[in-house]
Amino acid sequence: MKVGIIGATGYGGLELIRFLHNHPAVEHIELFTSSEEGVLFSSKFGHLITITDLPLQKIDDEALVKLDVVFASTPSGVTSELLPPLVGKGPRLIDLSGDFRLKDPTSYEQWYGKKAAPFETIQQSVYGLTEWNAHHVKNASLIANPGCYPTAVLLSLLPLLKEQLIDPNYLVIDAKSGISGAGNKPSQTTHFSEVNENFSIYKTNTHQHIPEIEQAIAMFAGVETAITFNTHLVPMTRGILSTAYAPLMPRVTEEQLVACLQATYEKHPFVRVVKDVNSLATNRVKGSNYCDILVKADSRTNRATIVAVIDNLVKGAAGQAIQNMNVQFDLPQTTGLDVVPLFI
């Protein structure tokens, strides 16, 4: 396959290159930019010298339509204009931004503060939560790759909500992310002296992933709910840890919760259900496409605690995008992604 990456100079783009470079079905990778045409990619990223010595190309529809797959790893508000003319013109399009995730354009404009993509293009997009939507991903022209936080939250909660083991009306989700989730453009909040030895909350009750999570819960679990979801910045580079709290439905036990998760994901290679809290941590999935999930029931409060960890740049972005590509081209989902977590 011939693959293109728009936004290759961001962290998500770099992770796409890392995995696609060793993907057995990828023959050629082209890198596109909106501002650095002609710049040798390895001159910007020294770790890629002799590995990806390619010049960055101008974003050009004629060049893009000749490719088999185009990944777009850009800030939100870019692909809403860039990708619609390419839909159905040849390449499979996999968008890692948030521009096509929300089916309601008004909701997108409210939560993202940007103009929505054309309504007809949004309706054509398929939400790429691979473990839950592979049958629709397979034939999609445009995939809306899920956000990093929603990936962790949804993989851990959807089975329990669908089987009516937890009460959907009182979902409280507390999530933490490393600073790479903010991208590689420097800002006041990601400055070393601001982040180091610090722990902060941001976008209190206003994070743009809230409607995405609620929409997906309705889509896959058949439940309409409003969640309490808050995010925190942790002084580490990679990783997301999501902790959700939900009341148990009557007479539900911890054994049932665990069994539900195990039954749901027994044939899905990248989701691992762990029983020991000491086996769950962001460095257990670092650099990999795994999502690890732990669930515990508290009989004293009659609540479940559901925890998930992912690497935000892999399972939360580039890895899941490649997993979706594999589905589209009838490849095993693990193709090019079967790597051991870094751990240290």
Side-chain angles (χ1 to χ4, degrees), residues 84 87 100 103 105 117-125 142:
V87 176
F100 301 97
K103 292 299 184 183
F119 180 77
E120 59 274 17
T121 308
I122 296 172
Q123 297 311 306
Q124 286 178 276
S125 70
L142 171 60

PDB file of all heavy atoms in Angstrom, residues 84 87 100 103 105 117-125 142:
ATOM      1  N   PRO A  84     -13.250  16.697   2.953  1.00  0.00           N
ATOM      2  CA  PRO A  84     -14.486  16.466   2.199  1.00  0.00           C
ATOM      3  C   PRO A  84     -14.309  16.307   0.689  1.00  0.00           C
ATOM      4  O   PRO A  84     -14.939  15.414   0.084  1.00  0.00           O
ATOM      5  CB  PRO A  84     -15.351  17.672   2.555  1.00  0.00           C
ATOM      6  CG  PRO A  84     -14.943  17.991   3.961  1.00  0.00           C
ATOM      7  CD  PRO A  84     -13.460  17.755   3.976  1.00  0.00           C
ATOM      8  N   VAL A  87     -13.367  12.562  -0.187  1.00  0.00           N
ATOM      9  CA  VAL A  87     -14.219  11.427   0.190  1.00  0.00           C
ATOM     10  C   VAL A  87     -14.766  10.753  -1.066  1.00  0.00           C
ATOM     11  O   VAL A  87     -15.349  11.401  -1.937  1.00  0.00           O
ATOM     12  CB  VAL A  87     -15.382  11.887   1.096  1.00  0.00           C
ATOM     13  CG1 VAL A  87     -16.313  10.712   1.392  1.00  0.00           C
ATOM     14  CG2 VAL A  87     -14.840  12.464   2.398  1.00  0.00           C
ATOM     15  N   PHE A 100     -14.830  15.012  12.586  1.00  0.00           N
ATOM     16  CA  PHE A 100     -15.925  14.203  12.051  1.00  0.00           C
ATOM     17  C   PHE A 100     -16.509  13.238  13.089  1.00  0.00           C
ATOM     18  O   PHE A 100     -17.279  12.354  12.743  1.00  0.00           O
ATOM     19  CB  PHE A 100     -15.442  13.419  10.819  1.00  0.00           C
ATOM     20  CG  PHE A 100     -14.933  14.302   9.723  1.00  0.00           C
ATOM     21  CD1 PHE A 100     -13.574  14.553   9.590  1.00  0.00           C
ATOM     22  CD2 PHE A 100     -15.804  14.923   8.836  1.00  0.00           C
ATOM     23  CE1 PHE A 100     -13.095  15.386   8.585  1.00  0.00           C
ATOM     24  CE2 PHE A 100     -15.342  15.762   7.832  1.00  0.00           C
ATOM     25  CZ  PHE A 100     -13.978  15.997   7.710  1.00  0.00           C
ATOM     26  N   LYS A 103     -21.827  13.771  15.313  1.00  0.00           N
ATOM     27  CA  LYS A 103     -22.784  13.749  14.207  1.00  0.00           C
ATOM     28  C   LYS A 103     -23.622  15.026  14.127  1.00  0.00           C
ATOM     29  O   LYS A 103     -24.204  15.319  13.089  1.00  0.00           O
ATOM     30  CB  LYS A 103     -23.700  12.526  14.337  1.00  0.00           C
ATOM     31  CG  LYS A 103     -22.982  11.195  14.122  1.00  0.00           C
ATOM     32  CD  LYS A 103     -22.375  11.106  12.734  1.00  0.00           C
ATOM     33  CE  LYS A 103     -21.731   9.760  12.465  1.00  0.00           C
ATOM     34  NZ  LYS A 103     -21.089   9.715  11.128  1.00  0.00           N
ATOM     35  N   PRO A 105     -23.582  18.879  13.887  1.00  0.00           N
ATOM     36  CA  PRO A 105     -22.680  20.017  13.641  1.00  0.00           C
ATOM     37  C   PRO A 105     -22.814  21.118  14.685  1.00  0.00           C
ATOM     38  O   PRO A 105     -21.820  21.759  15.046  1.00  0.00           O
ATOM     39  CB  PRO A 105     -23.115  20.509  12.253  1.00  0.00           C
ATOM     40  CG  PRO A 105     -23.812  19.355  11.624  1.00  0.00           C
ATOM     41  CD  PRO A 105     -24.466  18.601  12.745  1.00  0.00           C
ATOM     42  N   ALA A 117     -17.678  20.678   9.809  1.00  0.00           N
ATOM     43  CA  ALA A 117     -17.534  20.154   8.457  1.00  0.00           C
ATOM     44  C   ALA A 117     -18.908  20.095   7.795  1.00  0.00           C
ATOM     45  O   ALA A 117     -19.939  20.168   8.472  1.00  0.00           O
ATOM     46  CB  ALA A 117     -16.909  18.765   8.499  1.00  0.00           C
ATOM     47  N   PRO A 118     -18.967  19.952   6.473  1.00  0.00           N
ATOM     48  CA  PRO A 118     -20.261  19.817   5.798  1.00  0.00           C
ATOM     49  C   PRO A 118     -21.078  18.659   6.372  1.00  0.00           C
ATOM     50  O   PRO A 118     -20.523  17.585   6.644  1.00  0.00           O
ATOM     51  CB  PRO A 118     -19.873  19.551   4.344  1.00  0.00           C
ATOM     52  CG  PRO A 118     -18.518  20.161   4.189  1.00  0.00           C
ATOM     53  CD  PRO A 118     -17.846  19.966   5.507  1.00  0.00           C
ATOM     54  N   PHE A 119     -22.366  18.890   6.561  1.00  0.00           N
ATOM     55  CA  PHE A 119     -23.233  17.905   7.206  1.00  0.00           C
ATOM     56  C   PHE A 119     -23.185  16.552   6.502  1.00  0.00           C
ATOM     57  O   PHE A 119     -23.106  15.496   7.146  1.00  0.00           O
ATOM     58  CB  PHE A 119     -24.672  18.426   7.235  1.00  0.00           C
ATOM     59  CG  PHE A 119     -25.649  17.476   7.883  1.00  0.00           C
ATOM     60  CD1 PHE A 119     -25.716  17.354   9.262  1.00  0.00           C
ATOM     61  CD2 PHE A 119     -26.490  16.696   7.096  1.00  0.00           C
ATOM     62  CE1 PHE A 119     -26.600  16.464   9.859  1.00  0.00           C
ATOM     63  CE2 PHE A 119     -27.384  15.819   7.685  1.00  0.00           C
ATOM     64  CZ  PHE A 119     -27.448  15.698   9.062  1.00  0.00           C
ATOM     65  N   GLU A 120     -23.218  16.561   5.169  1.00  0.00           N
ATOM     66  CA  GLU A 120     -23.246  15.292   4.430  1.00  0.00           C
ATOM     67  C   GLU A 120     -21.965  14.484   4.627  1.00  0.00           C
ATOM     68  O   GLU A 120     -21.989  13.249   4.676  1.00  0.00           O
ATOM     69  CB  GLU A 120     -23.493  15.527   2.942  1.00  0.00           C
ATOM     70  CG  GLU A 120     -22.483  16.409   2.231  1.00  0.00           C
ATOM     71  CD  GLU A 120     -22.802  17.891   2.327  1.00  0.00           C
ATOM     72  OE1 GLU A 120     -23.617  18.287   3.190  1.00  0.00           O
ATOM     73  OE2 GLU A 120     -22.229  18.662   1.524  1.00  0.00           O
ATOM     74  N   THR A 121     -20.833  15.187   4.787  1.00  0.00           N
ATOM     75  CA  THR A 121     -19.566  14.486   5.025  1.00  0.00           C
ATOM     76  C   THR A 121     -19.536  13.893   6.428  1.00  0.00           C
ATOM     77  O   THR A 121     -19.064  12.769   6.636  1.00  0.00           O
ATOM     78  CB  THR A 121     -18.374  15.431   4.827  1.00  0.00           C
ATOM     79  OG1 THR A 121     -18.476  16.079   3.562  1.00  0.00           O
ATOM     80  CG2 THR A 121     -17.062  14.651   4.875  1.00  0.00           C
ATOM     81  N   ILE A 122     -20.033  14.650   7.406  1.00  0.00           N
ATOM     82  CA  ILE A 122     -20.098  14.133   8.776  1.00  0.00           C
ATOM     83  C   ILE A 122     -20.930  12.866   8.819  1.00  0.00           C
ATOM     84  O   ILE A 122     -20.563  11.873   9.474  1.00  0.00           O
ATOM     85  CB  ILE A 122     -20.698  15.192   9.724  1.00  0.00           C
ATOM     86  CG1 ILE A 122     -19.801  16.424   9.805  1.00  0.00           C
ATOM     87  CG2 ILE A 122     -20.910  14.604  11.120  1.00  0.00           C
ATOM     88  CD1 ILE A 122     -20.418  17.579  10.568  1.00  0.00           C
ATOM     89  N   GLN A 123     -22.045  12.854   8.110  1.00  0.00           N
ATOM     90  CA  GLN A 123     -22.923  11.685   8.123  1.00  0.00           C
ATOM     91  C   GLN A 123     -22.277  10.491   7.433  1.00  0.00           C
ATOM     92  O   GLN A 123     -22.604   9.338   7.738  1.00  0.00           O
ATOM     93  CB  GLN A 123     -24.263  12.025   7.466  1.00  0.00           C
ATOM     94  CG  GLN A 123     -25.051  13.107   8.188  1.00  0.00           C
ATOM     95  CD  GLN A 123     -25.173  12.861   9.687  1.00  0.00           C
ATOM     96  OE1 GLN A 123     -25.618  11.805  10.119  1.00  0.00           O
ATOM     97  NE2 GLN A 123     -24.775  13.843  10.493  1.00  0.00           N
ATOM     98  N   GLN A 124     -21.366  10.720   6.514  1.00  0.00           N
ATOM     99  CA  GLN A 124     -20.666   9.627   5.841  1.00  0.00           C
ATOM    100  C   GLN A 124     -19.560   9.027   6.705  1.00  0.00           C
ATOM    101  O   GLN A 124     -19.124   7.892   6.460  1.00  0.00           O
ATOM    102  CB  GLN A 124     -20.050  10.122   4.527  1.00  0.00           C
ATOM    103  CG  GLN A 124     -21.039  10.367   3.410  1.00  0.00           C
ATOM    104  CD  GLN A 124     -20.331  10.893   2.164  1.00  0.00           C
ATOM    105  OE1 GLN A 124     -20.084  12.087   2.029  1.00  0.00           O
ATOM    106  NE2 GLN A 124     -20.001   9.999   1.261  1.00  0.00           N
ATOM    107  N   SER A 125     -19.090   9.770   7.674  1.00  0.00           N
ATOM    108  CA  SER A 125     -17.969   9.293   8.487  1.00  0.00           C
ATOM    109  C   SER A 125     -18.408   8.155   9.409  1.00  0.00           C
ATOM    110  O   SER A 125     -19.565   8.069   9.808  1.00  0.00           O
ATOM    111  CB  SER A 125     -17.385  10.443   9.317  1.00  0.00           C
ATOM    112  OG  SER A 125     -18.285  10.837  10.339  1.00  0.00           O
ATOM    113  N   LEU A 142     -14.421   7.303   5.035  1.00  0.00           N
ATOM    114  CA  LEU A 142     -13.874   8.278   5.987  1.00  0.00           C
ATOM    115  C   LEU A 142     -14.087   7.772   7.405  1.00  0.00           C
ATOM    116  O   LEU A 142     -15.220   7.522   7.816  1.00  0.00           O
ATOM    117  CB  LEU A 142     -14.567   9.629   5.809  1.00  0.00           C
ATOM    118  CG  LEU A 142     -14.274  10.722   6.850  1.00  0.00           C
ATOM    119  CD1 LEU A 142     -12.795  11.067   6.887  1.00  0.00           C
ATOM    120  CD2 LEU A 142     -15.111  11.966   6.577  1.00  0.00           C
TER     121      LEU A 142
END
